[in-house]
Amino acid sequence: MARKYQLKQRAQRQEETRQRIIEAAVELHTTIGLAQTTISAIAERAGVERLTLYRHFPHEHELLRACSDHYLVTHPLPDPTSWGLIADPLTRLRVALAEVYAYYRRTEQRWLNIPYDGQAHPEIAEFAAPYIGRWRQMRAVLLTAWEVSAPQQRLLEAALGHALDFQTWHSLVRQQRLDDRQAIDLLAGMVRCLVAGK
């Protein structure tokens, strides 16, 4: 019985160490970016030796996968399911953008690092799949609220995709110094004018 208890304790300590490594890596990826993060820095932040880190994650790809999964759990993407219950298309758009922009505000530093990380580590593109899939779902939920002609649909898709994009939020809020509500008003007005011109 004592042996079983010791094995259980050891497994628990290993899991705690693994989690510390993941959290240290995510923190560094978020603050300085994946491109600038070294294995030594992760080990130091986690309070482990490099050898211990490699025992848990023999390949960097495994660590990146664990970090990506952890980030999605701790920073869940906005869920557009409830948006579909809002009949009025402009109200639906405003609610959606408010949720998405609040998410960007909470996770801004990570999004700022992504372009540099992608250049330094092209292999991380595979971890973007959950984000790309969710953004497509968001756009689709917003698109179905509008009744537009086939030619206008492509323009509306582009406008909604633009409104949902991090770079749009960052440009309007950080560079043009609008608050989130003003940015939403501007983009909702753009979409309203586009649809009115059908």
Side-chain angles (χ1 to χ4, degrees):
M1 190 69 158
R3 168 97 175 136
K4 200 171 183 181
Y5 178 73
Q6 288 172 343
L7 289 173
K8 186 177 179 182
Q9 276 193 320
R10 183 178 175 200
Q12 185 175 350
R13 282 195 306 270
Q14 286 179 336
E15 181 54 33
E16 288 169 358
T17 299
R18 183 179 189 278
Q19 193 60 33
R20 272 204 331 273
I21 292 167
I22 292 169
E23 289 173 3
V26 167
E27 185 180 345
L28 288 167
H29 293 165
T30 301
T31 54
I32 64 172
L34 175 61
Q36 301 299 318
T37 299
T38 64
I39 293 296
S40 295
I42 295 170
E44 183 179 339
R45 180 68 58 100
V48 300
E49 299 293 325
R50 282 173 57 108
L51 186 60
T52 302
L53 189 151
Y54 283 124
R55 270 201 300 269
H56 285 274
F57 299 100
H59 305 287
E60 186 178 19
H61 186 272
E62 295 170 15
L63 178 58
L64 292 177
R65 168 58 64 198
C67 289
S68 178
D69 292 345
H70 177 78
Y71 197 83
L72 278 169
V73 168
T74 56
H75 299 86
L77 294 165
D79 184 356
T81 307
S82 63
W83 305 347
L85 303 175
I86 303 169
D88 179 67
L90 271 176
T91 303
R92 185 184 299 191
L93 176 61
R94 287 176 179 280
V95 168
L97 292 180
E99 289 183 25
V100 170
Y101 290 176
Y103 175 78
Y104 286 149
R105 195 171 282 283
R106 290 190 305 272
T107 60
E108 180 178 3
Q109 189 57 50
R110 183 68 190 112
W111 287 92
L112 288 172
N113 289 327
I114 285 174
Y116 306 104
D117 293 345
Q119 290 171 7
H121 294 272
E123 71 276 10
I124 68 167
E126 70 177 90
F127 303 122
Y131 296 93
I132 293 169
R134 180 58 60 88
W135 256 255
R136 285 181 180 151
Q137 182 188 9
M138 290 177 186
R139 188 175 64 182
V141 168
L142 295 178
L143 186 63
T144 59
W146 302 90
E147 292 183 15
V148 293
S149 64
Q152 285 294 98
Q153 183 166 339
R154 181 66 194 107
L155 291 175
L156 181 56
E157 276 184 312
L160 293 172
H162 180 69
L164 290 166
D165 192 86
F166 170 77
Q167 296 299 336
T168 301
W169 173 80
H170 191 263
S171 173
L172 292 175
V173 172
R174 297 302 183 216
Q175 295 170 13
Q176 306 307 321
R177 301 185 184 281
L178 301 182
D179 60 30
D180 287 357
R181 184 189 54 77
Q182 291 171 319
I184 290 167
D185 287 345
L186 178 63
L187 292 164
M190 175 189 75
V191 171
R192 185 176 62 244
C193 289
L194 172 65
V195 173
K198 65 183 178 179

